[in-house]
Amino acid sequence: AQSVTQLGSHVSVSEGALVLLRCNYSSSVPPYLFWYVQYPNQGLQLLLKYTSAATLVKGINGFEAEFKKSETSFHLTKPSAHMRDAAEYFCAVSVGTGGFKTIFGAGTRLFVKA
Amino acid sequence: DVKVTQSSRYLVKRTGEKVFLECVQDMDHENMFWYRQDPGLGLRLIYFSYDVKMKEKGDIPEGYSVSREKKERFSLILESASTNQTSMYLCASSNLDRGLSQPQHFGDGTRLSIL
């Protein structure tokens, strides 16, 4: 069965520091992977998605993620954190046919210190 | 831009009431979803629909039902609200075409409190 594990429910970084949010997946078939961001009092919005075209995926707001099949990981990074990056981040894997179901991780809340 | 609109941002109801949460999307998406979001648990799928009048149970359907009479509208119904259904409810839609790579587009959520 497919699953997603996000390591760390909370991550705190200083402004300007590297952001690294960890995601590991379990899938019996090649996965489609996503990172979403949720700002306070809003729904989720797509940051980036992996669909096997390239292992390094660039998203919005300077984020990127690298698909590593050998490690079953899809970690999210950003070279320099900004205060506006403070939000909750969700890793997700798409399963089944027709895109009917997406399994979400439990989320990682990112805090950015001035 | 895709717009998914949930009818209420905040809702307070009493136990035993029948509660309706409405969701409308404007991009002609085939797939629509209802999730609940609770701290530490991420998003859990309640029901989804891939066509008008079609519905499928998600991971936690107990105590809920859904209705999809029109393609753009997907309603979540709490038949008899209970306090353990206090949560944030998120509606989403996605395009059926081109398989699994289509992301979901979310509404801003309804924070429901059952007293």
Side-chain angles (χ1 to χ4, degrees):
Chain A
Q2 287 81 0
S3 65
V4 174
T5 302
Q6 291 184 241
L7 301 176
S9 58
H10 298 84
V11 170
S12 182
V13 300
S14 297
E15 194 171 20
L18 171 73
V19 175
L20 171 60
L21 304 182
R22 299 177 188 273
C23 173
N24 288 89
Y25 70 91
S26 170
S27 176
S28 57
V29 297
Y32 290 95
L33 294 162
F34 306 84
W35 275 100
Y36 289 85
V37 60
Q38 184 180 33
Y39 298 103
N41 297 317
Q42 294 184 25
L44 281 67
Q45 55 184 277
L46 181 70
L47 267 181
L48 50 83
K49 65 179 183 182
Y50 166 75
T51 58
S52 76
T55 56
L56 184 62
V57 182
K58 295 189 183 298
I60 62 172
N61 301 339
F63 284 92
E64 62 182 35
E66 186 173 9
F67 173 71
K68 292 186 176 180
K69 184 178 180 180
S70 60
E71 299 177 8
T72 61
S73 68
F74 191 56
H75 301 331
L76 182 71
T77 60
K78 182 174 181 177
S80 177
H82 193 278
M83 298 296 288
R84 63 175 173 260
D85 296 325
E88 189 154 22
Y89 293 81
F90 292 90
C91 183
V93 60
S94 185
V95 301
T97 56
F100 296 147
K101 286 190 67 174
T102 298
I103 295 174
F104 290 84
T108 297
R109 185 166 295 278
L110 176 65
F111 297 92
V112 182
K113 299 175 290 185
Chain B
D1 279 353
V2 175
K3 184 73 173 175
V4 178
T5 304
Q6 295 184 230
S7 55
S8 304
R9 293 298 304 273
Y10 301 93
L11 208 54
V12 180
K13 296 292 183 181
R14 297 200 174 276
T15 55
E17 281 192 70
K18 191 169 187 176
V19 181
F20 293 86
L21 302 183
E22 305 288 345
C23 175
V24 177
Q25 51 95 3
D26 66 359
M27 282 301 292
D28 204 35
H29 283 170
E30 290 82 2
N31 299 336
M32 295 190 75
F33 308 83
W34 275 107
Y35 296 90
R36 62 176 285 174
Q37 181 181 13
D38 300 288
L41 297 178
L43 277 69
R44 292 180 291 169
L45 182 64
I46 303 171
Y47 269 96
F48 65 100
S49 168
Y50 52 89
D51 200 354
V52 175
K53 296 192 185 295
M54 304 301 291
K55 60 184 180 184
E56 295 285 342
K57 293 180 179 179
D59 300 316
I60 52 165
E62 295 78 19
Y64 303 94
S65 63
V66 291
S67 172
R68 192 160 181 206
E69 296 296 319
K70 294 184 178 181
K71 189 175 186 179
E72 67 270 20
R73 185 179 297 271
F74 193 36
S75 303
L76 179 70
I77 303 155
L78 284 65
E79 297 291 344
S80 178
S82 64
T83 55
N84 62 12
Q85 293 177 309
T86 291
S87 186
M88 168 73 91
Y89 290 86
L90 292 169
C91 176
S93 71
S94 71
N95 195 338
L96 178 60
D97 290 340
R98 291 171 281 166
L100 296 169
S101 67
Q102 296 306 306
Q104 296 185 11
H105 301 265
F106 285 82
D108 284 339
T110 295
R111 190 167 293 280
L112 175 64
S113 297
I114 307 296
L115 305 179

